[in-house]
Amino acid sequence: MKQTTNTILMIRPVAFRMNEQTAVNNYYQKVLDNLLPATVNAKAQEEFDNFVEKLKNAGVNVIVVEDTVSPDTPDSIFPNNWISFHENGDVALYPMFAENRRMERREDVLDILEDHGFEINNIVDYTSAEEDELFLEGTGSLLLDRENGKAYCALSPRANEELMIEFCEDFEMNPVIFEAFQTVDGERKPIYHTNVMMCLGETFAVICADSIDDAKERKMVLDCLKSDGKEIVLITEDQVNNFAGNMLQVRGAEDKRYLIMSAAAHQSLTKDQLTKLEKHCEILSSSLDTIEACGGGSARCMMAEVFLPKAE
């Protein structure tokens, strides 16, 4: 199993804005005062297009799907939460916490991937869990170490333990389950997505260990990463607030590895952290300020990795 892919699915927004339904437990979202919705969306589109261009220039195969005006899906720019693609041809569909995010699931996305020559053998659908108010938001909630057969998950209102274990049984992965917190107005609250505080590369892991308040859990997660020979790069909670955990390693031209992140994340890292990361791969960053502020998500959330086999 490969840990990185050369192909990324991205959804270009048409009505991007702050989603009031996700703001209840995504504490990274901010209201941008005095900006008209059309302006916010135009800024988001500009950031999106620049980001895609940088990825393509590095030789990453980016499949861009245009969002539609109806239904109203302000967060459609983050497809990694509702779908994941696997090397055996499986596609997983996930139950989403916000009702207006459930409408992001689009069958035509699968048709588009097939048109690009990918093979889809089986759809594993967890979305009926929404009826029981149980959620697991794709590779936002699940950090997949595909090579070592492990799935890391910080439990939250958007990451249910039973569903996580069911996923691991279906995809033959070992669950690594813990809780991660952030300080909001002086209180410790669950971090809504695992991929905000952690990133898994082939030979390294970026993690905010300080967010795992339970010492035993923290040690267990770090031991798990070390046992797979990953170099651990620790980040602070302040860096997490700048989306330094929300990164993704991808392959560009000639299989060259890149670590993709936002400009804010890049700027928040220290020289020492950058030196450690650059030993493993080149860093590619792009400004995503509007998307980060309104969406409360960053570079990693915008990229759904395509691991599907190519049709013969």
Side-chain angles (χ1 to χ4, degrees), residues 117-187:
F118 291 100
E119 196 174 305
I120 294 169
N121 298 323
N122 183 32
I123 292 175
V124 187
D125 190 342
Y126 299 103
T127 58
S128 63
E130 287 166 354
E131 294 160 25
D132 300 318
E133 299 282 307
L134 301 176
F135 313 107
L136 186 69
E137 297 195 329
T139 53
S141 301
L142 298 163
L143 244 71
L144 304 181
D145 187 339
R146 295 169 190 256
E147 244 173 336
N148 297 298
K150 291 178 185 171
Y152 293 79
C153 181
L155 300 178
S156 80
R158 305 201 201 177
N160 173 268
E161 186 165 3
E162 283 168 37
L163 276 181
M164 149 74 176
I165 289 167
E166 188 183 335
F167 169 89
C168 287
E169 285 170 358
D170 291 343
F171 285 89
E172 296 178 357
M173 292 187 127
N174 292 312
V176 183
I177 298 171
F178 56 98
E179 286 183 291
F181 299 89
Q182 65 190 120
T183 301
V184 181
D185 301 329
E187 270 185 78

Side-chain angles (χ1 to χ4, degrees), residues 19-292:
N19 185 352
E20 55 296 333
Q21 294 186 14
T22 55
V24 293
N25 56 23
N26 177 347
Y27 307 107
Y28 300 98
Q29 286 173 248
K30 300 177 185 75
V31 178
L32 293 183
D33 291 329
N34 311 324
L35 278 189
L36 292 167
T39 313
V40 170
N41 185 62
K43 279 179 178 276
Q45 283 180 333
E46 189 184 348
E47 290 172 1
F48 179 94
D49 293 341
N50 291 339
F51 184 30
V52 169
E53 193 180 354
K54 283 187 183 177
L55 288 169
K56 286 183 170 174
N57 288 343
V60 181
N61 176 23
V62 186
I63 298 170
V64 176
V65 175
E66 296 281 338
D67 192 18
T68 51
V69 175
S70 172
D72 176 31
T73 49
D75 276 331
S76 61
I77 196 168
F78 304 130
N80 83 309
N81 299 139
W82 67 266
I83 194 163
S84 66
F85 306 100
H86 302 267
E87 269 185 47
N88 61 356
D90 280 358
V91 172
L93 300 177
Y94 297 95
M96 308 285 282
F97 169 82
E99 284 182 30
N100 64 3
R101 291 213 61 189
R102 299 170 193 176
M103 297 181 290
E104 291 172 32
R105 298 190 291 252
R106 291 168 48 180
E107 262 181 52
D108 65 324
V109 166
L110 301 180
D111 300 334
I112 290 164
L113 285 168
E114 287 182 327
D115 291 344
H116 278 84
F118 291 100
E119 196 174 305
I120 294 169
N121 298 323
N122 183 32
I123 292 175
V124 187
D125 190 342
Y126 299 103
T127 58
S128 63
E130 287 166 354
E131 294 160 25
D132 300 318
E133 299 282 307
L134 301 176
F135 313 107
L136 186 69
E137 297 195 329
T139 53
S141 301
L142 298 163
L143 244 71
L144 304 181
D145 187 339
R146 295 169 190 256
E147 244 173 336
N148 297 298
K150 291 178 185 171
Y152 293 79
C153 181
L155 300 178
S156 80
R158 305 201 201 177
N160 173 268
E161 186 165 3
E162 283 168 37
L163 276 181
M164 149 74 176
I165 289 167
E166 188 183 335
F167 169 89
C168 287
E169 285 170 358
D170 291 343
F171 285 89
E172 296 178 357
M173 292 187 127
N174 292 312
V176 183
I177 298 171
F178 56 98
E179 286 183 291
F181 299 89
Q182 65 190 120
T183 301
V184 181
D185 301 329
E187 270 185 78
R188 295 297 271 171
K189 301 243 173 122
I191 288 179
Y192 80 110
H193 278 160
T194 316
N195 76 2
V196 181
M197 50 74 67
M198 185 173 171
C199 156
L200 279 176
E202 292 169 332
T203 49
F204 65 93
V206 176
I207 181 168
C208 179
D210 291 346
S211 68
I212 306 174
D213 290 356
D214 184 289
K216 272 195 192 140
E217 283 189 357
R218 188 184 321 126
K219 184 178 184 308
M220 179 269 298
V221 172
L222 293 172
D223 286 349
C224 223
L225 294 166
K226 285 176 191 157
S227 70
D228 294 323
K230 294 195 192 297
E231 179 176 6
I232 292 171
V233 180
L234 294 172
I235 55 172
T236 65
E237 192 166 325
D238 190 43
Q239 289 173 321
V240 169
N241 290 334
N242 285 291
F243 294 100
N246 199 243
M247 313 164 166
L248 182 67
Q249 190 182 27
V250 302
R251 296 173 194 234
E254 294 168 5
D255 255 4
K256 184 174 171 181
R257 308 303 199 264
Y258 291 91
L259 183 60
I260 313 298
M261 66 185 76
S262 72
H266 198 170
Q267 283 153 14
S268 77
L269 295 171
T270 64
K271 267 206 180 99
D272 183 45
Q273 289 167 324
L274 290 168
T275 304
K276 279 183 183 165
L277 291 170
E278 284 165 344
K279 280 194 318 218
H280 298 275
C281 56
E282 193 175 312
I283 289 174
L284 193 156
S285 63
S286 197
S287 171
L288 302 171
D289 294 353
T290 310
I291 291 166
E292 288 176 331

Side-chain angles (χ1 to χ4, degrees), residues 7-10 79-80 83 85 139 300-306:
T7 304
I8 300 292
L9 168 78
M10 295 179 70
N80 83 309
I83 194 163
F85 306 100
T139 53
R300 167 66 188 104
C301 305
M302 294 168 66
M303 298 181 282
E305 302 156 278
V306 181

